[in-house]
Amino acid sequence: MNNMESKQYEKVVVVKVGTNVMTNKDNRIVVPILKRLVDQIARLYEDDVMTVLISSGSVIAGMEVLDENTITDKTVRRQVYSAVGQPRMMRHYYSIFHDYGMRCAQVLATKRDFDPGPHRDNMVNCYTGLLSQGIVPIANEDDAVSLSMSMFTDNDQLASLVAELVNADTLILLTDTDGIYDGHPDHDESEVIRTVTTDQEVEQFVQSSDKKEGEGRGGMESKIGVAKAAAQKDITTFIANGKRENVIVDIVNGKDVGTRIYKED
């Protein structure tokens, strides 16, 4: 791939991959899953579709190194995990993208960076510059320096803000279920709701679950709220299973995958 010239692209897709997608039952990063994600991004690139990747995983990656530590403060411990894990995640991504002849870049942000003003303007300039050169931005919350008042609710919220920032055509929230179900996902009679409008009440179907330290903060209720907010801004949003084969490419190509959230005309 020739990365020296300006990249001409027809669409921008924002893809958020959560911790539960990229880890196994032992809470370890599964590199082959990252490779499958990058493979899809590379195929979209060849079709003039640029992807912005919102990637969780830094805290888990840090825990893999510092599984045993003496830090008792939970907030400080998370900051340290993230600071150690973020370069490990980028090393994975850099190596995989390099295998495809592509380049990637890290973009860390806190919530205040999206407030109107110079911070937001700089973010726009950064993303615009990266995309124009065919470089895939990989965004994550800057957990190492975020304070409670400047933290995102979760990376779903970050993905929605980035999608608005780059005028994305599509926002894809990848999780470990096939979409929004009309009952508990583990029940045989439950089915995926294929389309949801912004004014349709589906929160009643959401099941709460406990999360262990290091897992992502977001759940399905958060995803629904974020998806509806993005759809209200004319960004069609999908909630889908990140472990499904070709999930990103299939969604971009219009296949009936996951749950599509949209605003009715």
Side-chain angles (χ1 to χ4, degrees), residues 228-246:
K228 286 184 174 182
Q232 284 285 5
K233 297 172 182 175
D234 295 317
I235 303 172
T236 300
T237 303
F238 293 81
I239 298 174
N241 194 329
K243 296 183 179 181
R244 181 188 183 277
E245 196 76 19
N246 295 320

Side-chain angles (χ1 to χ4, degrees), residues 13-18 21 37 52 54 154-161 163 170-180 219-231 235-243 247-248 251 257-259 261:
V13 176
V14 173
V15 176
K16 182 263 180 175
V17 53
V21 173
L37 291 170
V52 178
I54 315 297
D154 46 52
N155 266 357
D156 299 319
Q157 184 184 34
L158 171 60
S160 176
L161 290 171
T170 306
L171 170 61
I172 302 173
L173 304 176
L174 297 180
T175 184
D176 57 353
T177 62
D178 290 332
I180 303 172
M220 186 57 73
E221 186 171 5
S222 168
K223 286 176 177 56
I224 293 172
V226 164
K228 286 184 174 182
I235 303 172
T236 300
T237 303
F238 293 81
I239 298 174
N241 194 329
K243 296 183 179 181
V247 59
I248 302 171
I251 287 174
V257 178
T259 300
I261 300 93

Side-chain angles (χ1 to χ4, degrees), residues 22 28-37 92 96:
M22 62 176 65
R28 312 287 287 187
I29 300 294
V30 182
V31 176
I33 291 178
L34 304 184
K35 290 181 178 179
R36 289 201 295 270
L37 291 170
H92 287 316
I96 300 168

